[in-house]
Amino acid sequence: MFIAMNRFKVVKGEEKAFEQIWASRRTRLEEMEGFISFHLLRGPEREDHTLYASHTMWETKASFLAWTTSQQFRDSHKDAGKNKPLYVGHPEFEGFDAVLEQTNAGHDAVAEATP
């Protein structure tokens, strides 16, 4: 499994606008072979920003790399530059190969985020 994360430092007061952009965009991830799941995570608040991370899970790193060169990727990122005023700095990418995995077979995944 491969996990791809982007960290975003969102300007204080712009959190709702940032979340709305993600909620309303069409990613086309479900069209990609090897795509498992996507999460948008809200992290700690700092003096000048709130930390967010986008988190996608893939069957393999090759599946993720295929996504980054796909038309679906280009389509879903075509307006990303318009959102620069919402960020402190640039998004930071981090990619991880899974080396251990443990799941709880008795626990269903949460379908929607809770407030």
Side-chain angles (χ1 to χ4, degrees):
M1 179 174 21
F2 185 77
I3 297 174
M5 296 183 71
N6 276 296
R7 293 176 183 259
F8 303 88
K9 294 178 181 177
V10 176
V11 174
K12 293 287 278 193
E14 298 293 344
E15 294 89 350
K16 288 188 190 290
F18 178 78
E19 291 176 20
Q20 182 57 39
I21 289 166
W22 285 84
S24 64
R25 79 180 201 162
R26 183 167 179 245
T27 65
R28 300 179 62 191
L29 285 164
E30 71 283 354
E31 299 173 16
M32 301 304 301
E33 186 174 330
F35 169 70
I36 299 172
S37 66
F38 167 84
H39 300 94
L40 181 63
L41 311 170
R42 184 181 327 118
E45 292 184 21
R46 302 290 189 237
E47 189 173 307
D48 64 340
H49 70 274
T50 300
L51 183 64
Y52 283 82
S54 65
H55 171 273
T56 53
M57 295 175 64
W58 299 87
E59 289 177 2
T60 65
K61 186 175 184 177
S63 297
F64 168 72
L65 293 174
W67 154 248
T68 65
T69 60
S70 70
Q71 185 61 47
Q72 291 90 334
F73 179 90
R74 288 188 292 281
D75 289 349
S76 69
H77 289 83
K78 66 183 176 189
D79 294 327
K82 295 178 182 178
N83 304 317
K84 286 184 181 182
L86 299 178
Y87 308 132
V88 174
H90 297 286
E92 297 177 31
F93 173 78
E94 298 172 318
F96 301 90
D97 290 302
V99 293
L100 293 173
E101 181 177 348
Q102 181 176 351
T103 60
N104 181 349
H107 186 268
D108 292 331
V110 177
E112 294 188 26
T114 54

